[in-house]
Amino acid sequence: MSIWLGASTCPPVSQLVISRCYHLATGLEIKDYPSIEIRASDDDILVAVDATLPKLKGARLDDALKSMIRAEVVEKANGMFLLASLQLRELERDVTCRRDVVDILDSLPRTLDDAYRLTFKRIREQGTRKNELACRALALVALRAPFFYIESVRHVLAEGDVTQYIDIETILQCCHGLARCKPGLELEFIHYSVHEYTTAHWSELFPEHPNRSDLCLQLGFSVLTSPVDTSGRNIFCWDTVVRDMEQPEELKQVITLLETTEARAALVEDYPELAPFVHDPLLMACQGGYWKVVKYMIESAPPDTDVKRFDEVLRICRSKQKRWYAEQCVEWINARSDMKVNGEDGLVVER
């Protein structure tokens, strides 16, 4: 943004304010410009520390130990309030005596990645049921970042059995502070960096769900039976479903879901522009821009497929001014042995 400093002879100043570490903005080619790092005040961090100290009753803190805690947290948090709050959770969780305080202060994480790694370690050390609950809930939020409706999460965790719904507070406790519930009953990560961390370390953190697409498909089938009134976008996560899909078996599952009346109805509710094509999953996929699905459906369509379906696909591509996709569809159709695109009028004809 540009700002004026007031003086009539002063030129406008362009100012960029970001909430991420500077190295993440290097792709913007910002060179040789003065910058100011925005940090949390040490006083603010000390307020959080002082609010935590009374909770460490088992340690019987004296003034010297309190001063040590304040100094260590401020120094290792390095101006990051979120990191300080995670460090304080470690103290609050594990301190039972004075010796614990010293040991934990020595091992406090110095970066957010270290803090998240330690938190996931704590999650894994819970009982099997709580560990599975937390990892599945966090994986669902990571899949649907920035948030996921808590009632949909509860439904998926209970595998559709309303009698097995889990209390919201229990879910949050199992997640060890990495997630929170907003007033609108939306489950979200405490910070965008949690999503970045879970995405970067997905296979390590969620070995039970190595393929995000599979998890999303499980989610789609599960929430189809959900009594919760949420929109199709929050239920089906189509962008995430299609993003990394390449394998035929995965695409078959997407098409299977797309062919259900419930799924198409939910999609139309959230994407009204799909309504004219609700009768045909191929046309819905084309109108919605799910090109990997379109490619697979064109290539795997049976020989007796009506050529008019493919004509309609090309018409949609051309009307959406997606020239590249129209050309791709022509290639996919021409690769079939039973039909081709006529070069004169651009219509699909039988060979």
Side-chain angles (χ1 to χ4, degrees), residues 144-348:
R144 273 303 305 143
F147 67 85
F148 204 122
Y149 287 114
I150 186 65
E151 289 302 318
S152 293
V153 173
R154 295 176 70 201
H155 183 79
V156 175
L157 294 177
E159 298 181 349
D161 185 349
V162 178
T163 65
Q164 300 296 318
Y165 272 23
I166 301 166
D167 182 73
I168 296 173
E169 287 302 318
T170 299
I171 296 174
L172 295 177
Q173 289 171 10
C174 292
C175 292
H176 280 244
L178 293 182
R180 64 189 173 196
C181 191
K182 295 173 64 178
L185 291 181
E186 298 163 354
L187 188 66
E188 65 175 7
F189 288 133
I190 56 169
H191 194 253
Y192 69 83
S193 57
V194 183
H195 181 236
E196 293 178 346
Y197 180 79
T198 54
T199 300
H201 300 86
W202 183 279
S203 59
E204 171 192 346
L205 301 176
F206 310 119
E208 302 87 350
H209 310 291
N211 191 311
R212 277 177 283 185
S213 300
D214 285 347
L215 176 62
C216 194
L217 291 171
Q218 294 172 25
L219 169 66
F221 281 114
S222 177
V223 183
L224 278 175
T225 61
S226 173
V228 183
D229 183 18
T230 54
S231 69
R233 183 170 300 169
N234 289 306
I235 291 176
F236 298 108
C237 325
W238 284 107
D239 292 340
T240 307
V241 168
V242 182
R243 185 180 306 142
D244 301 319
M245 278 196 172
E246 297 289 347
Q247 300 303 317
E249 288 304 316
E250 296 176 337
L251 293 169
K252 278 183 182 178
Q253 292 178 19
V254 175
I255 294 166
T256 299
L257 182 57
L258 190 58
E259 286 176 342
T260 64
T261 303
E262 297 93 340
R264 295 205 300 275
L267 282 170
V268 167
E269 181 181 344
D270 207 48
Y271 301 91
E273 66 273 17
L274 298 183
F277 312 98
V278 70
H279 62 284
D280 190 331
L282 172 59
L283 301 185
M284 286 190 75
C286 184
Q287 178 69 19
Y290 315 134
W291 300 110
K292 293 180 182 178
V293 177
V294 172
K295 179 177 185 291
Y296 181 80
M297 294 184 77
I298 288 177
E299 293 177 341
S300 62
D304 59 351
T305 299
D306 189 343
V307 295
K308 292 181 180 179
R309 287 185 76 201
F310 293 161
D311 272 333
E312 186 68 9
V313 168
L314 293 176
R315 187 193 68 78
I316 292 172
C317 289
R318 291 162 182 158
S319 67
K320 288 168 66 71
Q321 297 180 333
K322 298 287 187 181
R323 180 177 177 181
W324 184 86
Y325 289 114
E327 293 173 353
Q328 289 294 300
C329 287
V330 169
E331 289 185 18
W332 300 333
I333 294 170
N334 285 338
R336 293 175 58 93
S337 61
D338 56 339
M339 61 185 70
K340 65 178 182 178
V341 178
N342 192 321
E344 296 180 1
D345 55 18
L347 296 178
V348 182

Side-chain angles (χ1 to χ4, degrees), residues 15-22 35-41 78-81:
Q15 175 178 298
L16 173 66
V17 180
I18 60 175
S19 64
R20 298 170 180 244
C21 299
Y22 177 76
S35 62
I36 300 174
E37 182 182 5
I38 302 175
R39 294 165 44 95
S41 164
N78 193 28
M80 289 186 284
F81 192 87

